[in-house]
Amino acid sequence: MRDYHNFVNGRFTGSQSKDRITVVNPSDGQAICSVPDSTAGDVEDALAAAAAAQPDWAKRPAIQRAHALRAIAARIREQVEPLARVITEEQGKILDLARVEVAFTADYFDYMAEWARRIEGEILESDRPGETIFLFRQPIGVIAGILPWNFPFFLIARKAAPALVTGNTIVIKPSEETPHNAVKFCELMAQTDLPPGVINIVHGRGAGAGKALASSRRVGMISFTGSVETGSAIMSAAAANITKVNLELGGKAPAIVMGDADLELAVRAIKASRVINSGQVCNCAERVYVQAAVADRFVAELAKAMKATKVGNPLVDSAAEYGPLINEAGYRKVDGLVRGAVAAGATAVTGGKRAPAEGGYYYEPTVLAGCTQDMEIVRREIFGPVIPVIRFDDLDEAIAFANDSDFGLTSSIYTRDLNVALRACREIRFGETYINRENFEAMQGFHAGWRKSGIGGADGKHGLYEFMQTHVVYMQGNG
Ligand code: NAD
């Protein structure tokens, strides 16, 4: 088993901590490697390196910074297969999805590099004669990126690429569940001529390294992806220094299936959206509302499709459509919510228990009929391959059910009626709505949760500008 290190100031460095975190393959429970459980002192060292590197990095023309992003993308593309295996081994997603994650990550670096020549300021009309007002967009300084485990490799890019192209430097803390892919990322980065200190990776748990990052005065913005509870703790830590926060938190995406929908399409898309990464995706369809007239048919078809879904160890079984849940805590949460729903009157049409695969925490593809809006499974994020289904009578009721949630990340509607789709888009209070398709965002969009699903957002032009601050200059001339 390899013991890995942090990556600070352009090289792998030891930690002040003797404690180490063992990384486990969720598919079979075997240990893979270890990383340091870094101290607050390690985090400060990394932040100091990032702060020292930032002024020179920001002075470079943006197009030179973009070249560095493209070099990272090129290195990633040379290693798609080994990187995908590392992701699958520590996170449990199937290899095809891990390959998509690696390719998407490389594309994301290239996409953000394209912004180098497109970052714009403004020139404003003044009230005073002879004066010109300029609005510059400038980097914030040092960014802290704190990552979850579900798309661990891609999230490095989602934080680092916009941070770097806009002239910031960054310290990233990967999830303690999935640090191995970040080590591999550092090995690739070390092969490029990225200046030392521009990207630093510090491993550790949330309560130690994570908290130290969120509490440091050196950090200009914390870009966090993870749970609502941690987002709230990070906001509290950031409050002491009035540090800007950018939060991408949990979801509870409603999918509305109207009576006129193409049911075959709805079943296919909702199933895909629910089994991808074992249902552990923030934008997955987490609750389905189906119009009463087609409810029985829809539930029967969905149950058939879910039942036919193959679950298995993704490194062993190439036919598996999804693998294990990330860990025992994840399994207990999913199983507890399912049991609670059944006790409260729901029916498990298919699934409802642990899948009979060896070693890891696998869960059967599950459809729960007869759910009601007040059930915990309809209100809390499940993060597993489980679909609770609720009936509704008309669009008003469906929209009211969908909006009745603390979360506001993504949503979807299936209908052939353009007017119904348009009305739903106007009235559904979520950051994203998918019409007649599965939930999966584009890098040129803007992934931003409403309510407890987050503050600010990621991707596209609007996500890029989150990493900049404005500087207004008033230039008084005498002409
Ligand atoms: P988590 O909140 O448990 O952990 C995320 C990260 O925060 C980890 O690196 C952890 O070490 C760190 N952390 C924990 N406590 C901390 C603290 N007090 N201070 C600073 N850092 C701390 O989340 P998770 O279980 O890794 O990820 C799953 C969650 O992420 C789900 O809720 C999912 O919906 C959400 N998510 C959201 C998006 C999005 O784009 N909105 C994307 C992916 C995942």
Side-chain angles (χ1 to χ4, degrees):
M1 190 175 83
R2 287 280 303 271
D3 295 330
Y4 290 111
H5 299 295
N6 293 332
F7 187 81
V8 175
N9 215 16
R11 60 195 182 85
F12 288 99
T13 54
S15 161
Q16 296 164 17
S17 166
K18 296 227 170 343
D19 296 331
R20 300 198 61 87
I21 297 167
T22 302
V23 185
V24 169
N25 180 342
S27 300
D28 60 14
Q30 297 297 310
I32 300 170
C33 63
S34 83
V35 292
D37 187 8
S38 303
T39 64
D42 295 327
V43 168
E44 272 309 301
D45 288 350
L47 288 169
Q54 197 270 330
D56 281 349
W57 179 246
K59 275 186 206 140
R60 292 186 179 206
I63 195 66
Q64 284 185 19
R65 298 195 296 263
H67 290 328
L69 298 194
R70 290 191 192 283
I72 294 173
R75 288 285 175 284
I76 292 172
R77 288 203 182 91
E78 288 164 7
Q79 299 287 328
V80 173
E81 204 54 32
L83 286 167
R85 292 193 86 79
V86 164
I87 295 170
T88 292
E89 191 183 44
E90 67 179 333
Q91 197 270 309
K93 59 168 59 86
I94 58 171
L95 273 168
D96 275 351
L97 183 58
R99 291 182 188 112
V100 169
E101 181 172 351
V102 175
F104 200 80
T105 304
D107 288 354
Y108 201 89
F109 274 109
D110 276 343
Y111 168 73
M112 281 295 169
E114 287 170 14
W115 278 100
R117 292 196 176 98
R118 295 187 173 85
I119 297 166
E120 293 177 347
E122 292 168 32
I123 301 172
L124 309 174
E125 194 68 29
S126 171
D127 295 350
R128 295 164 60 132
E131 183 180 69
T132 307
I133 305 176
F134 298 97
L135 191 152
F136 293 98
R137 286 207 164 82
Q138 294 186 344
I140 295 174
V142 175
I143 306 296
I146 303 180
L147 313 185
W149 47 262
N150 63 343
F151 284 92
F153 195 66
F154 164 59
L155 278 151
I156 298 174
R158 206 182 225 174
K159 308 297 184 201
L164 263 56
V165 76
T166 51
N168 302 280
T169 55
I170 192 164
V171 176
I172 291 177
K173 192 198 83 61
S175 167
E176 55 271 47
E177 301 283 349
T178 52
H180 193 192
N181 68 88
V183 172
K184 295 293 157 198
F185 177 82
C186 295
E187 289 171 1
L188 294 181
M189 200 170 45
Q191 295 166 17
T192 71
D193 55 7
L194 191 72
V198 170
I199 301 183
N200 308 274
I201 305 247
V202 177
H203 300 285
R205 296 186 202 284
K211 194 168 173 201
L213 260 182
S215 318
S216 175
R217 289 181 61 241
R218 289 189 193 267
V219 172
M221 180 173 86
I222 305 160
S223 182
F224 169 71
T225 302
S227 64
V228 173
E229 295 69 26
T230 307
S232 175
I234 284 174
M235 272 185 93
S236 302
N241 299 310
I242 321 286
T243 307
K244 179 178 176 184
V245 291
N246 166 276
L247 305 175
E248 305 291 322
L249 308 179
K252 188 71 195 167
I256 299 175
V257 181
M258 300 300 296
D260 73 336
D262 176 341
L263 284 194
E264 202 188 311
L265 166 77
V267 164
R268 197 170 60 240
I270 289 170
K271 180 207 132 171
S273 171
R274 191 68 274 202
V275 302
I276 180 174
N277 206 15
S278 314
Q280 304 168 122
V281 189
C282 61
N283 66 11
C284 271
E286 275 258 340
R287 50 196 169 116
V288 175
Y289 298 100
V290 57
Q291 200 154 22
V294 295
D296 289 342
R297 218 174 98 216
F298 172 79
V299 167
E301 289 299 318
L302 184 65
K304 197 166 127 201
M306 287 291 276
K307 194 171 182 184
T309 306
K310 183 112 175 43
V311 194
N313 181 333
L315 282 173
V316 175
D317 184 352
S318 59
E321 290 173 73
Y322 71 87
L325 296 168
I326 187 72
N327 54 27
E328 185 180 351
Y331 164 77
R332 286 195 187 286
K333 181 181 174 198
V334 172
D335 196 49
L337 287 171
V338 170
R339 283 170 193 271
V342 171
T347 308
V349 187
T350 189
K353 59 183 188 309
R354 195 167 169 167
E358 292 290 310
Y361 292 96
Y362 297 83
Y363 207 81
E364 287 185 344
T366 300
V367 176
L368 295 173
C371 293
T372 52
Q373 190 66 8
D374 56 342
M375 286 179 182
E376 204 185 358
I377 203 160
V378 178
R379 311 209 70 85
R380 279 182 65 194
E381 193 180 42
I382 306 168
F383 241 48
V386 176
I387 307 177
V389 183
I390 298 143
R391 288 170 185 246
F392 67 85
D393 290 322
D394 58 22
L395 184 59
D396 285 333
E397 191 180 28
I399 291 173
F401 279 157
N403 287 342
D404 174 26
S405 174
D406 284 345
F407 297 94
L409 191 58
T410 72
S411 53
S412 62
I413 182 159
Y414 296 84
T415 178
R416 289 184 166 104
D417 185 333
L418 185 61
N419 289 315
V420 167
L422 285 175
R423 216 193 108 200
C425 288
R426 276 196 304 273
E427 296 182 20
I428 283 185
R429 300 194 43 76
F430 286 76
E432 253 160 58
T433 301
Y434 298 88
I435 301 168
N436 293 329
R437 55 156 286 191
E438 81 291 355
N439 306 13
F440 207 85
E441 69 267 19
M443 62 184 78
Q444 64 271 39
F446 185 53
H447 186 55
W450 295 12
R451 298 186 289 279
K452 286 188 179 173
S453 289
I455 295 178
D459 310 337
K461 176 171 81 176
H462 302 288
L464 184 85
Y465 284 162
E466 298 259 322
F467 287 78
M468 306 199 86
Q469 54 196 348
T470 53
H471 183 189
V472 183
V473 174
Y474 298 83
M475 189 174 78
Q476 183 68 62
N478 59 9

